[in-house]
C-alpha cells in the first residue's frame, strides 16, 4: 500500500510492503506529521516556534519534543564546529533538523507497529526499512538540481536514511552561522546517506553551510557517505559512496 499527502509544505509519501498494512497505519503517520507541522512550523502563528519568537513562550516552557529537538540542535552545532545553528539574527527556526527528526519518528512509529518493509519520504528525504515489493533493496534517486525531471544517481538502501540539502528547491534558505557574508552559492546540493534519516538530514544541513568543504566534513564522519554538486554541475563524492550506487 502506498499513499502521498501534502503536509508541511511538501509531498509526504509512505509505502508499506507488509501484507498487514491497512489504512489506519497511514492515518497514524499523517496525523503525526500534522502534529509536527502545528508544533514546529515557523509559518503557523499558533506553533510553539512562532510563540517563542514572539516572546510568549520560553524555551524551557516548550513541549518534550521541542526539548528533544533543541538537544539535537545543540549536539549538531558542536559536532559541526558551529556550522549548524537554529538561531539566526535572534530568530528561532529549527527547520534544519525537524524534517529529518520527524521522518525518523514516523518511521519508528511504523516499526513499533510491527512493519518491517516500508519507506517514509518527506520532500525527498527518505528513511527505508527492509525490502521493496520485489524483495530487493529500495532504490532512491538523487535529482539533478538543474533539471528536476532528471535523476543523476540512483542508490540502493535498506535500513538507512538519505537526505539532501540545497538551494535549488527553496532558494537560499540555508545560511552559514559562522559568516553572514557567505552567500553559499558555490554548491547547489549535497546528499548524505547515513544510519538513519535524522542523522543524514542534520549533517546535510551543516555540510551545505560549509560550502565546498562540506564534502570533506562528510568524508570524516564514520558510517556516512555524500554526493555534492557545485554550481557548475561538477559532482564530488566521498570514498565509499559508489558502494551504494545502483547497477
Amino acid at each position: 500500500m502506498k499513499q502521498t499527502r501534502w503536509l508541511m509544505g511538501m509531498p509526504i509519501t509512505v509505502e508499506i510492503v507488509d501484507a498487514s498494512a491497512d489504512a489506519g497505519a497511514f492515518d497514524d503517520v499523517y496525523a503525526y506529521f500534522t502534529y509536527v507541522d502545528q508544533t514546529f512550523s515557523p509559518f503557523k502563528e499558533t506553533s510553539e516556534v512562532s510563540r517563542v519568537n514572539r516572546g510568549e513562550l520560553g524555551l524551557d516552557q516548550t513541549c518534550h519534543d521541542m526539548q528533544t529537538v533543541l538537544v539535537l540542535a545543540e549536539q549538531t552545532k558542536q559536532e559541526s564546529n558551529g556550522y549548524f545553528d537554529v538561531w539566526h539574527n535572534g530568530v528561532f527556526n529549527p527547520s534544519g533538523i525537524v524534517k529529518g527528526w520527524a521522518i525518523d519518528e514516523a518511521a519508528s512509529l511504523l516499526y513499533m507497529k510491527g512493519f518491517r518493509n516500508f519507506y517514509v519520504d518527506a520532500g525527498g528525504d527518505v528513511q527505508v526499512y527492509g525490502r521493496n515489493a520485489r524483495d530487493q533493496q529500495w532504490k532512491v534517486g538523487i535529482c539533478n538540481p538543474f533539471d528536476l525531471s532528471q535523476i543523476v544517481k540512483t542508490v540502493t538502501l535498506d535500513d538507512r536514511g538519505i537526505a539532501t540539502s540545497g538551494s535549488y528547491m527553496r532558494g537560499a534558505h540555508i545560511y552559514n552561522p559562522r559568516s553572514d557574508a557567505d552567500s553559499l552559492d558555490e554548491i547547489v546540493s549535497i546528499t548524505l546517506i547515513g544510519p538513519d534519516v535524522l542523522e543524514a538530514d542534520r549533517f546535510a544541513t551543516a555540510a551545505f553551510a560549509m560550502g565546498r568543504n562540506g564534502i570533506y566534513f562528510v568524508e570524516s564522519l564514520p558510517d556516512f557517505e555524500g554526493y555534492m554538486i557545485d554550481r557548475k554541475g561538477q559532482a564530488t563524492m566521498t570514498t565509499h559512496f559508489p558502494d551504494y550506487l545502483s547497477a
Side-chain angles (χ1 to χ4, degrees), residues 64-78:
H64 173 76
D65 284 338
M66 187 70 75
Q67 297 296 320
T68 298
V69 166
L70 286 167
V71 170
L72 286 167
E74 181 59 29
Q75 179 183 335
T76 309
K77 182 178 181 178
Q78 298 300 321

Side-chain angles (χ1 to χ4, degrees), residues 6 17 55 57 70 131 137 142 163 167 170 215 227:
W6 194 274
V17 174
L57 191 68
L70 286 167
R131 298 279 173 139
Q137 287 182 301
I142 298 174
S167 57
R170 294 169 50 198
I215 196 70
Y227 184 82

Side-chain angles (χ1 to χ4, degrees), residues 4-159:
T4 299
R5 302 185 195 178
W6 194 274
L7 286 168
M8 296 172 63
M10 59 191 164
I12 298 178
T13 300
V14 179
E15 181 173 352
I16 306 173
V17 174
D18 301 77
S20 57
D22 58 17
F26 291 91
D27 289 343
D28 288 347
V29 168
Y30 289 114
Y32 177 73
F33 278 112
T34 298
Y35 153 75
V36 171
D37 195 27
Q38 291 171 343
T39 304
F40 292 91
S41 173
F43 308 109
K44 293 187 181 299
E45 288 190 6
T46 56
S47 74
E48 287 201 354
V49 169
S50 295
R51 293 174 64 200
V52 167
N53 282 321
R54 289 196 301 267
E56 299 171 3
L57 191 68
L59 287 177
D60 59 344
Q61 299 172 307
T62 56
C63 68
H64 173 76
D65 284 338
M66 187 70 75
Q67 297 296 320
T68 298
V69 166
L70 286 167
V71 170
L72 286 167
E74 181 59 29
Q75 179 183 335
T76 309
K77 182 178 181 178
Q78 298 300 321
E79 292 170 336
S80 65
N81 296 315
Y83 277 99
F84 182 93
D85 199 338
V86 294
W87 290 91
H88 186 215
N89 295 331
V91 177
F92 175 52
N93 186 350
S95 299
I97 201 167
V98 165
K99 183 166 73 163
W101 169 79
I103 299 168
D104 190 52
E105 289 291 304
S108 296
L109 185 155
L110 290 174
Y111 197 87
M112 287 188 292
K113 287 178 175 290
F115 300 115
R116 294 296 179 266
N117 302 282
F118 62 90
Y119 74 83
V120 180
D121 172 355
D125 294 346
V126 189
Q127 176 68 46
V128 307
Y129 278 100
R131 298 279 173 139
N132 65 21
R134 295 178 296 280
D135 195 29
Q136 299 171 339
Q137 287 182 301
W138 294 100
K139 291 187 177 182
V140 181
I142 298 174
C143 283
N144 177 352
F146 304 102
D147 182 354
L148 299 184
S149 68
Q150 294 182 354
I151 299 295
V152 292
K153 294 293 181 184
T154 301
V155 298
T156 54
L157 305 171
D158 50 21
D159 299 349

Side-chain angles (χ1 to χ4, degrees), residues 190-193 215 218 224-228 236-239 241:
I190 186 163
T191 299
L192 267 66
I193 297 171
I215 196 70
V218 180
F224 286 82
E225 299 300 333
Y227 184 82
M228 182 184 77
T236 307
M237 63 185 75
T238 53
T239 302
F241 182 84

